[in-house]
Amino acid sequence: MYDYDLLVVGSANADLVIGVRRRPAAGETVLGSDLAVHPGGKGANQAVAAARLGARTALLAKVGDDDHGRLLLAAQRAAGVDTVGVLVSDVPTGVALITVDPSGDNSIVVSPGANGRLTPGDVRAASSLFHASRVVSVMLEIPLETVVEVVRSLTPDNRFVLNPSPPRPLPREVLDACDPLIVNEHEAKVLLGASAVGDRPEDWARILLAKGPRSVVVTLGAEGALVASKDGVARVPSVPVRAVDTTGAGDAFTAALAHRLGTGATLAEAAAYAARVGAAAVTKAGAQESYPTAEEVQAL
């Protein structure tokens, strides 16, 4: 019996958000809305999204001893996330600077702060969390050597989910553990590099699969997603919605998919559910504030 359906190992940031009529070009200054501060970070986002859906969730992360860190801890606890794995650093909490245009599209710059101090030693010290968790989900807003240590800390019963964001080349050891590797179009092209062929997501998924992952999911925004494994490649539709803010929608998708896999769903079933969760998330402003409950997803 597992204590947690999902263990998220990753980043926790304060999101500093400004609405703009259009994003500035190089060297240009534009006026924006009043500054809004929200709890965010890909790891913290995933943990909250999963907990809202009913998953028993734990977060392994690092924050600073500051107001942003306290904001993040409060948000996790309010969502029902177990914060026993959240460590406090002597450097400031990570910050994401986000501009959002009227279409809901965003541009993000991240200052890692305490996220960059989440070490392999921190992962080894949290071995009990791995033994207590069904699925382990990771992203790349923490040091790559820490991600490698997560892979080495997996138990034979853990299922490992990775969203390589922000994207960078990955060692084969990490790729081999992914089940699935979850990428959007930009992330897929970075990982593929010179091996990228054509404009079809099906081709990207097959090539990525050949690089080691046990399964691959390519998210396609309003067009849903694509899943690939040894059993083949299939498209998964989304739900048409009016997008207000896409911030954090990919994190909601990943969390929902990881949670659903832990309940025994097939990859296609989990991706279909995750696409609905992601669609619900973009209908509201913000990241964590936009994440739906299981009941809201069912009603969509």
Side-chain angles (χ1 to χ4, degrees):
M1 180 64 182
Y2 294 96
D3 293 327
Y4 305 108
D5 301 309
L6 179 64
L7 168 63
V8 180
V9 185
S11 56
N13 294 325
D15 287 348
L16 310 185
V17 183
I18 299 178
V20 292
R21 292 182 62 184
R22 60 181 178 81
R23 284 171 284 177
E28 182 184 19
T29 299
V30 300
L31 293 177
S33 66
D34 291 341
L35 175 70
V37 181
H38 304 283
K42 298 187 75 63
N45 286 351
Q46 283 192 31
V48 167
R52 289 257 177 88
L53 295 171
R56 296 168 301 165
T57 308
L59 175 65
L60 175 56
K62 188 168 280 190
V63 299
D65 184 14
D66 50 32
D67 288 343
H68 288 157
R70 287 182 278 276
L71 169 72
L72 289 163
L73 279 168
Q76 292 293 306
R77 290 165 179 160
V81 176
D82 191 333
T83 59
V84 66
V86 179
L87 308 171
V88 178
S89 172
D90 58 357
V91 299
T93 301
V95 172
L97 308 176
I98 304 173
T99 58
V100 182
D101 70 18
S103 73
D105 284 335
N106 60 63
S107 297
I108 304 174
V109 177
V110 174
S111 172
N115 297 308
R117 270 63 169 191
L118 187 65
T119 67
D122 296 328
V123 172
R124 289 190 292 272
S127 61
S128 61
L129 288 176
F130 289 84
H131 287 277
S133 302
R134 187 181 302 273
V135 179
V136 178
S137 181
V138 183
M139 67 298 307
L140 299 184
E141 286 184 338
I142 56 176
L144 184 57
E145 59 265 28
T146 304
V147 175
V148 172
E149 190 60 38
V150 169
V151 170
R152 293 173 180 172
S153 299
L154 295 172
T155 75
D157 295 326
N158 290 145
R159 185 161 185 168
F160 179 67
V161 175
L162 174 66
N163 171 220
S165 178
R168 70 184 86 166
L170 294 170
R172 184 64 187 252
E173 180 180 7
V174 172
L175 288 170
D176 286 348
C178 296
D179 192 15
L181 174 73
I182 303 175
V183 293
N184 61 21
E185 178 179 350
H186 170 65
E187 292 154 3
K189 289 181 176 179
V190 171
L191 292 186
L192 288 169
S195 60
V197 176
D199 295 322
R200 297 177 68 248
E202 287 84 355
D203 295 331
W204 307 336
R206 290 189 182 96
I207 298 171
L208 285 171
L209 202 59
K211 291 180 178 292
R214 302 172 196 181
S215 59
V216 171
V217 175
V218 182
T219 59
L220 303 171
E223 296 180 20
L226 180 148
V227 300
S229 68
K230 61 180 178 56
D231 298 322
V233 179
R235 289 265 185 163
V236 174
S238 185
V239 179
V241 294
R242 178 182 175 274
V244 172
D245 183 0
T246 61
T247 305
D251 303 327
F253 179 99
T254 299
L257 186 143
H259 165 45
R260 214 58 166 186
L261 289 175
T263 67
T266 67
L267 185 60
E269 291 168 344
Y273 181 75
R276 294 175 67 86
V277 173
V282 303
T283 63
K284 300 177 184 177
Q288 294 178 20
E289 301 92 330
S290 72
Y291 293 155
T293 63
E295 292 75 19
E296 289 170 332
V297 175
Q298 186 174 9
L300 185 64

